[in-house]
Amino acid sequence: MNSEKSYTQIKQLIEQETNQTGKSFTVGKFTGIGWLFIQHSPDEPASPLIAVKQYAKTVNIYVPIDENEPPLVEQYASIFGKSNLGKTCIRISSLTPTRLDALKTLVQKIKKEAEQSA
């Protein structure tokens, strides 16, 4: 897989669906690009609801977790494969039209939830 090409496609898809340009952010040792930033408290920096980080062999997409609900990414196990899912993360080693469609749906769902809670 060409992770650079996939990273670019994923970033463009998220920017199109959120109508936002991704912003670089760092939390601890993690540095990535984020969208739909929310402020949890005045004492903490804003954090993104969607984040992407490119690695050598994968592009990882990080999404929010609701402690009262099953992890959002579990709904996509049949598309991305159970071994490619973490609690808040989807690891993408190959990008297909089906996976792009699933990511689009996921981003739309997160954006809608963000707008409802704003």
Side-chain angles (χ1 to χ4, degrees):
M1 171 188 118
N2 180 343
S3 68
E4 183 67 37
K5 181 179 177 185
S6 293
Y7 175 77
T8 300
Q9 286 180 291
I10 291 167
K11 187 176 166 212
Q12 287 173 341
L13 179 140
I14 296 170
E15 288 179 347
Q16 180 180 347
E17 294 303 316
T18 61
N19 295 316
Q20 293 182 359
T21 301
K23 296 177 189 173
S24 180
F25 75 100
T26 301
V27 175
K29 293 182 179 182
F30 180 92
T31 298
I33 303 292
W35 294 266
L36 302 173
F37 282 79
I38 59 168
Q39 188 76 42
H40 294 286
S41 76
D43 301 333
E44 298 176 14
S47 59
L49 291 178
I50 303 170
V52 174
K53 181 166 175 103
Q54 180 181 1
Y55 292 93
K57 295 184 180 184
T58 64
V59 177
N60 292 6
I61 300 171
Y62 300 90
V63 298
I65 186 166
D66 182 342
E67 294 173 9
N68 301 318
E69 299 286 331
L72 186 58
V73 296
E74 284 183 5
Q75 298 172 26
Y76 298 91
S78 64
I79 296 167
F80 293 101
K82 187 81 170 148
S83 65
N84 292 318
L85 301 180
K87 200 171 191 178
T88 64
C89 171
I90 300 172
R91 292 175 290 280
I92 298 174
S93 58
S94 64
L95 199 53
T96 65
T98 301
R99 289 179 173 184
L100 276 172
D101 287 344
L103 289 174
K104 182 176 180 178
T105 301
L106 176 63
V107 171
Q108 289 171 346
K109 184 180 289 189
I110 294 168
K111 182 181 179 196
K112 184 177 180 181
E113 289 175 9
E115 289 170 345
Q116 289 174 346
S117 64

